[in-house]
Amino acid sequence: MKLSKDIYVFIEQRDGIIQNVSYELLGEANSLAEDIGQKVVGIILGSEIEVMAKNLIMYGADEVIVVDHPILKEYMTESYTKAMTELIKSNEPEIVLFGATSIGRDLGPRISARIRTGLTADCTSLCIDPKNKGLHMTRPAFGGNLMAVIKCENHRPQMATIRPGVMQAMEKDENRKGIVRNVAIDFSNIGNEVEILEIIKKNKKVTDIAKSKYIVGGGRGVGNTKNFEMLNKLASTLGGEVAGSRAAVEAGWIDADRQVGQTGKNVKPDLYIACGISGAIQHVAGMENSGMIIAINKNETAPIFDVADLGVVGDITTIIPPLIEAIKKAKAEGMDYIAPSSLKYMGMENILFNKKDGIAYLTINRPRFLNALNRKTLLEIGAVVDLLENDESTLVVIVRGAGGRAFVAGADISKMQDMNVEEGEEISTLAQTVFSKLKKLPQVVIGAINGYALGGGNELAMACDIRIASSRAKFGQPEVKLGLIPGFGGTQRLQRIVGQGYSKELIFTGEMISAEEAYRIGLVNRVVPPEALNRVVNDLALKIISNGSKAVKLAKKSINEGGNVDLESGLAIENRDWTNCFTNEESKEGMKAFVEKRKANFKDFK
Amino acid sequence: MKILVCVKQVPDTSEVTLDPITNTLIRKGIKSIINPDDKAGIEAALKLKDQVEGSQITVISMGPKQAEIALREALAMGCDEGYLVSDRKFGGSDTLATSTILAAALKKIGFDVIITGRQAIDGDTAQVGPQIAEHLKIPHVSYVEEFEVDGDALIVLRQFEDRYHKIRIKFPCLLTAISGFGEIKYLTVAGVIEAEKKELKYLNYEDLKDLLDEGCIGLKGSPTKVVKSYTKEQKSQGTLLKGLTTNEAVDAIMARLKEGHIL
Ligand SMILES: Cc1cc2nc3c(=O)[nH]c(=O)nc-3n(C[C@H](O)[C@H](O)[C@H](O)COP(=O)(O)OP(=O)(O)OC[C@H]3O[C@@H](n4cnc5c(N)ncnc54)[C@H](O)[C@@H]3O)c2cc1C
């Protein structure tokens, strides 16, 4: 076999606009390139498109090949096949990726037949076989009932079309460097067997539902157009889009470009509300990766409930109208979080921060990445912790993860694998500093652990004073499985909480444990049903707030400082802080109220 | 005009279920159907035949003997003759090998236009049509929704996600069809009886030998191989609430929306 080289990504542009799937493929190609040590090359065909090359580099291309020719302005099978085939033949890439769009799925097969190599269609995941560095391509078959892993061992390039919406684009990096190469292709021998007479743009407002953060999906159970209007209203109240099952499209209630599923769009919004959808496998295939799935269906055995985070057995026609009203009301009153615009002002993208009545909520908000911690997220947590340090009006800080699945599923490994020694050290130092600051905050920090708390997530949880877990939470320090050790405080804090024995077992095996097990070994204070988590945590916060805030803070200080010293020194610390209590009015009011047999009024002393 | 239509017999994937214990596909008892897009292809062929006098429709299927049923159904829908392309040597073919074999069969039979479905519901690859066209060195248009005859060419409407192309494509050519060719023609008793009387024709490796390279067909001639297949894991269990009043249901949903910071 010849020594093939790079990973080629066919960049799909329409009217000079690069399609999202191409950015996703550049991201995926980058992670493959890591495994086989090759470069990522974006190939863009079109007319007057060279200006776009820079963008591709910012999103992960090491090299961009530009073929600029008027014939390439609009997609046509033969001209595109000719250009791609010539580039592939002269450069012998190892892998070629296309988006599984109506263009990629037309172009890919034609090229594969011309070159005589394999092509795997509609893949949903790719990986490199560590043994022979071959590409393993996973795709659904039998209407999504079966997943098949395909390889293409003896032919090069290995080619695949990838479903839009499943791969992760990289964050834009304006400083990324790459080269741009213009290649001329001779199209003079292309005949006039095929010509485009007219281009008819679909004139209806095409909103790409795949881009929406919130989706309300309707199925046959919606019943009629009027009820679908109601879903429209729900979607617009949320600021999202409506979508539907194939049955809803066939009934004519919504347009085909809003169909979700195997033969429709693949979506992964932060929220998907399935209304009157049974949850056929072909539908589920297109929405199961949503951040949170809520399903409303009359039939309690509907399969949609198997994938739903929250399933409500009921009739949509009675539930949705009051739900719309409730959402409107909640929006009007302003919920307990600050508006996205003010978050932007603070420059924060990955966390939400808000305060209300003495409680601050710090939410790690990257549900699509299971709230994984990257550098930016750590910096943002650090910034909020700095703010809180001098915030007299807050007594309790609640730390939680957005979405239904994870508290924090770990550190963002995709970012970490590129790091050198210095960068590795830096990220550990950063995380340790931020977590230690959190632990040392004067306020009480409660971790509300709703889902995965793995690696950096468990370490963040351990930096909280109190941990309350949902029964769905899972804990672990899986670092050794990646050839690492816990680096955000895990080897130190875990043993101080559960003792060395359990700590070593968890860290050496890297295995996950359930919330119940975490409770048994003392890692969490309480396990509660998922529905109750927020209420329990809030109640706990309110109980703490009803007490003297100065006393609570001094108590925390005393416990924290005493935790790291011998008993004698600890007692001295306690003695200091106890004495300290007498310097403030709060203790006077507390003791006076006790003697007078009334409730202490600590409010005035805050 | 000689119109060739390729059809595939597929299991009705909307009925495929998983064995809850072994987590494998239950294939037994699943009925086989003509792949839906291929049915659209037959409809398109019938429409073309209506437009061009003296046309003949030949339907071809590659597969085991059982695929005769699909061919008979196609004949009953109005196709004039049917070919089954079948040989043990063809087994295990991936899309490239399949398209190679079909291309040889189509060449042998002769054609002015070839119509395939866009994709088959068991594999969903959408590859065989364009690959056949490449092997035969003829142009193709895929995702075709409508067409008209225009002298030595067809004017077709090619669907994209965001637009249509109205394309003029000269014969000989290949189209891949998607549903949307108007009303489905239902089978009539007379049609079925008529179809039963027709003789099916067969093509095997021997018949196509001159047009085929043995290294390019079957398992051996397939660049892609299945490493393994598995059924999807079920997601961890969520919460199911039943018997709620409307207010409770709204509260439960609102709590989730707040929890997820959607509100
Ligand atoms: C090859 C192939 C590809 C396909 N691709 C797709 C695809 O991409 N996307 C897709 O969606 N489907 C696809 N399908 C179709 C799929 O198999 C299902 O038929 C379809 O998803 C069913 O749609 P539904 O859930 O809306 O309807 P149904 O299955 O009929 O479900 C309706 C549901 O509504 C509930 N209901 C009724 N009234 C009410 C009420 N008042 N309140 C609450 N609930 C109510 C019922 O209990 C029922 O569960 C495909 C099928 C095939 C064969």
Side-chain angles (χ1 to χ4, degrees):
Chain A
M1 204 187 308
K2 278 188 203 145
L3 227 177
S4 324
K5 295 183 295 249
D6 304 325
I7 302 179
Y8 274 23
V9 175
F10 169 71
I11 304 294
E12 187 173 318
Q13 58 83 21
R14 298 186 185 195
D15 302 330
I17 295 167
I18 296 171
Q19 304 295 297
N20 277 349
V21 65
S22 303
Y23 292 125
E24 293 162 15
L25 293 189
L26 286 175
E28 178 64 14
N30 261 273
S31 63
L32 297 175
E34 285 298 325
D35 288 343
I36 51 174
Q38 317 227 4
K39 43 179 213 300
V40 174
V41 181
I43 304 195
I44 182 157
L45 314 180
S47 176
E48 293 168 27
I49 34 97
E50 197 189 329
V51 286
M52 290 186 277
K54 263 210 320 277
N55 236 346
L56 298 172
I57 291 170
M58 291 191 256
Y59 280 99
D62 301 310
E63 180 180 334
V64 179
I65 296 179
V66 180
V67 184
D68 205 314
H69 193 285
I71 201 174
L72 300 171
K73 187 167 175 18
E74 193 77 16
Y75 173 76
M76 283 180 81
T77 308
E78 184 51 33
S79 51
Y80 273 60
T81 305
K82 183 170 197 315
M84 285 299 289
T85 312
E86 287 189 12
L87 290 172
I88 292 169
K89 282 192 173 153
S90 58
N91 299 308
E92 297 177 357
E94 176 76 1
I95 293 171
V96 184
L97 305 178
F98 305 83
T101 62
S102 66
I103 290 179
R105 298 172 100 231
D106 183 80
L107 177 61
R110 195 89 204 195
I111 296 172
S112 87
R114 195 163 295 180
I115 302 184
R116 271 214 92 82
T117 187
L119 172 67
T120 306
D122 275 14
C123 298
T124 52
S125 92
L126 300 174
C127 70
I128 299 294
D129 180 353
K131 284 201 287 288
N132 61 9
K133 301 283 178 198
L135 184 65
H136 278 190
M137 302 162 270
T138 304
R139 66 180 308 268
F142 283 99
N145 288 288
L146 201 69
M147 302 301 288
V149 180
I150 312 279
K151 63 179 177 182
C152 175
E153 235 167 4
N154 303 319
H155 292 72
R156 288 296 180 271
Q158 306 161 88
M159 306 211 303
T161 64
I162 318 290
R163 294 203 85 182
V166 296
M167 300 301 178
Q168 201 60 58
M170 291 167 46
E171 279 161 48
K172 183 172 177 175
D173 177 357
E174 313 222 335
N175 299 321
R176 223 171 161 283
K177 296 266 173 306
I179 55 171
V180 179
R181 209 148 58 86
N182 274 287
V183 175
I185 304 274
D186 176 16
F187 294 104
S188 59
N189 61 353
I190 290 186
N192 64 347
E193 290 81 16
V194 183
E195 40 181 336
I196 300 179
L197 303 178
E198 194 184 345
I199 296 162
I200 309 155
K201 301 270 166 71
K202 291 189 183 166
N203 52 6
K204 41 191 163 176
K205 187 180 133 242
V206 266
T207 7
D208 186 357
I209 53 164
K211 286 186 188 136
S212 183
K213 278 177 80 167
Y214 311 131
I215 293 179
V216 178
R220 199 194 315 272
V222 175
N224 54 47
T225 322
K226 202 170 130 263
N227 287 347
F228 231 94
E229 249 330 288
M230 180 175 79
L231 298 197
N232 255 321
K233 213 163 138 206
L234 175 59
S236 61
T237 311
L238 282 165
E241 295 290 337
V242 281
S245 70
R246 187 154 102 176
V249 172
E250 279 166 0
W253 299 330
I254 53 162
D255 292 333
D257 57 16
R258 286 175 185 263
Q259 178 182 319
V260 167
Q262 188 199 344
T263 46
K265 292 243 164 76
N266 216 34
V267 298
K268 46 174 181 179
D270 292 348
L271 170 72
Y272 189 95
I273 307 185
C275 306
I277 291 177
S278 61
I281 190 136
Q282 295 91 350
H283 185 80
V284 168
M287 47 67 81
E288 64 190 331
N289 293 323
S290 305
M292 182 193 294
I293 298 170
I294 297 179
I296 309 173
N297 196 304
K298 278 209 289 213
N299 174 3
E300 68 178 79
T301 63
I304 191 74
F305 289 136
D306 296 341
V307 294
D309 297 291
L310 175 69
V312 176
V313 181
D315 193 320
I316 53 156
T317 54
T318 59
I319 294 174
I320 292 182
L323 180 63
I324 295 173
E325 291 315 308
I327 293 170
K328 275 192 187 153
K329 192 158 154 264
K331 288 214 157 174
E333 283 172 359
M335 296 300 306
D336 35 279
Y337 73 99
I338 48 178
S341 57
S342 43
L343 286 171
K344 253 217 183 93
Y345 176 65
M346 293 170 72
M348 286 195 249
E349 287 166 11
N350 298 341
I351 68 169
L352 293 165
F353 181 60
N354 148 60
K355 300 190 304 185
K356 191 182 179 188
D357 302 335
I359 307 178
Y361 299 84
L362 192 170
T363 308
I364 319 299
N365 188 33
R366 299 177 81 212
R368 285 177 194 211
F369 304 91
L370 297 173
N371 303 322
L373 297 173
N374 57 8
R375 200 162 172 277
K376 184 156 171 44
T377 312
L378 287 167
L379 286 171
E380 290 180 7
I381 299 173
V384 168
V385 170
D386 284 343
L387 273 178
L388 283 165
E389 232 164 22
N390 302 310
D391 180 350
E392 294 283 332
S393 64
T394 298
L395 183 56
V396 178
V397 180
I398 296 175
V399 180
R400 51 191 186 178
R405 301 239 178 108
F407 174 67
V408 166
D412 197 334
I413 303 297
S414 62
K415 289 282 134 48
M416 244 167 230
Q417 54 174 359
D418 310 333
M419 290 183 180
N420 58 29
V421 176
E422 288 75 28
E423 288 165 330
E425 183 185 356
E426 201 243 40
I427 191 96
S428 162
T429 311
L430 170 66
Q432 288 187 350
T433 312
V434 170
F435 290 3
S436 290
K437 273 190 178 173
L438 180 70
K439 181 110 218 174
K440 284 197 195 122
L441 275 179
Q443 295 91 350
V444 177
V445 182
I446 306 176
I449 298 143
N450 51 326
Y452 294 114
L454 304 177
N458 192 38
E459 290 166 308
L460 173 60
M462 291 191 297
C464 299
D465 297 313
I466 297 170
R467 285 161 292 283
I468 309 290
S470 135
S471 55
R472 228 192 299 162
K474 293 252 184 330
F475 298 81
Q477 295 288 161
E479 288 82 357
V480 291
K481 291 190 191 261
L482 312 178
L484 296 169
I485 71 166
F488 296 4
T491 60
Q492 301 308 309
R493 289 212 169 87
L494 189 55
Q495 60 168 318
R496 284 171 169 76
I497 296 171
V498 303
Q500 283 208 343
Y502 284 129
S503 170
K504 285 178 175 164
E505 183 179 335
L506 274 173
I507 291 172
F508 297 164
T509 61
E511 295 293 327
M512 276 196 276
I513 58 170
S514 66
E516 281 306 325
E517 177 69 0
Y519 172 67
R520 202 181 62 76
I521 65 174
L523 184 54
V524 301
N525 291 35
R526 239 184 281 178
V527 180
V528 301
E531 264 56 45
L533 182 64
N534 278 344
R535 191 171 43 73
V536 170
V537 170
N538 255 311
D539 288 352
L540 185 65
L542 291 173
K543 269 189 203 150
I544 295 171
I545 286 176
S546 71
N547 297 322
S549 70
K550 296 207 168 61
V552 170
K553 287 179 180 169
L554 281 170
K556 169 165 173 178
K557 202 162 162 239
S558 192
I559 299 172
N560 266 9
E561 288 181 24
N564 303 326
V565 297
D566 63 79
L567 183 62
E568 286 307 313
S569 321
L571 290 172
I573 290 167
E574 181 180 274
N575 182 271
R576 176 199 71 197
D577 290 335
W578 156 273
T579 312
N580 232 327
C581 294
F582 287 86
T583 64
N584 64 50
E585 295 296 311
E586 189 183 274
S587 64
K588 301 223 160 61
E589 160 66 9
M591 291 186 278
K592 191 158 171 258
F594 181 79
V595 174
E596 292 171 4
K597 295 195 169 39
R598 63 171 169 87
K599 234 180 144 231
N601 180 10
F602 289 125
K603 280 227 176 65
D604 304 342
F605 305 104
K606 279 177 187 159
Chain B
M1 176 153 41
K2 218 165 168 330
I3 307 164
L4 295 195
V5 190
C6 299
V7 303
K8 183 177 185 185
Q9 190 182 44
V10 294
D12 187 348
T13 53
S14 63
E15 291 192 2
V16 174
T17 48
L18 294 182
D19 182 323
I21 295 160
T22 60
N23 225 14
T24 51
L25 286 186
I26 303 174
R27 294 180 200 230
K28 238 174 87 184
I30 298 298
K31 71 172 189 281
S32 289
I33 55 173
I34 294 186
N35 176 51
D37 281 352
D38 298 348
K39 234 175 183 164
I42 297 174
E43 295 294 334
L46 292 169
K47 189 177 151 193
L48 188 55
K49 186 178 170 179
D50 282 347
Q51 288 185 24
V52 184
E53 234 172 281
S55 292
Q56 204 210 7
I57 304 175
T58 303
V59 57
I60 297 142
S61 186
M62 176 174 138
K65 194 159 163 50
Q66 196 208 351
E68 286 176 355
I69 301 168
L71 288 173
R72 292 251 172 244
E73 188 180 339
L75 293 179
M77 284 173 76
C79 296
D80 299 299
E81 61 171 355
Y83 276 89
L84 181 69
V85 181
S86 196
D87 197 298
R88 286 184 56 185
K89 281 203 163 77
F90 300 159
S93 294
D94 70 354
T95 62
L96 190 66
T98 301
S99 60
T100 306
I101 298 162
L102 279 170
L106 298 166
K107 193 166 186 180
K108 176 119 189 158
I109 299 165
F111 58 87
D112 294 304
V113 60
I114 300 167
I115 303 176
T116 72
R118 173 192 45 173
Q119 66 190 43
I121 58 173
D122 54 349
D124 279 321
T125 71
Q127 291 177 1
V128 172
Q131 286 174 337
I132 290 174
E134 176 63 28
H135 298 313
L136 294 171
K137 301 203 163 35
I138 56 170
H140 83 268
V141 178
S142 52
Y143 291 79
V144 173
E145 226 180 70
E146 274 172 35
F147 64 84
E148 293 296 326
V149 180
D150 180 38
D152 64 343
L154 286 170
I155 293 179
V156 306
L157 203 57
R158 196 280 197 202
Q159 189 201 70
F160 293 86
E161 289 84 352
D162 59 342
R163 68 193 63 193
Y164 290 99
H165 281 174
K166 192 186 250 186
I167 292 176
R168 189 171 193 280
I169 180 168
K170 288 188 185 156
F171 298 119
C173 62
L174 181 147
L175 309 181
T176 83
I178 51 179
S179 325
F181 286 95
E183 82 287 17
I184 304 280
K185 289 207 176 65
Y186 289 99
L187 301 186
T188 59
V189 178
V192 174
I193 293 170
E194 191 63 26
E196 282 304 323
K197 279 193 258 168
K198 285 181 190 158
E199 287 277 325
L200 288 178
K201 297 178 181 163
Y202 297 85
L203 289 172
N204 59 20
Y205 175 71
E206 279 302 308
D207 302 319
L208 301 174
K209 203 166 59 186
D210 298 342
L211 299 164
L212 279 178
D213 171 351
E214 214 184 331
C216 292
I217 60 168
L219 201 59
K220 220 170 48 201
S222 298
T224 59
K225 304 249 166 12
V226 177
V227 181
K228 62 173 178 192
S229 61
Y230 57 93
T231 48
K232 278 208 255 180
E233 274 176 46
Q234 290 272 314
K235 220 182 79 169
S236 69
Q237 202 69 47
T239 316
L240 183 61
L241 303 174
K242 46 192 169 183
L244 301 185
T245 66
T246 301
N247 278 341
E248 285 168 347
V250 171
D251 283 350
I253 296 170
M254 289 299 286
R256 277 303 171 112
L257 298 183
K258 287 175 195 170
E259 181 188 314
H261 280 270
I262 286 147
L263 289 176

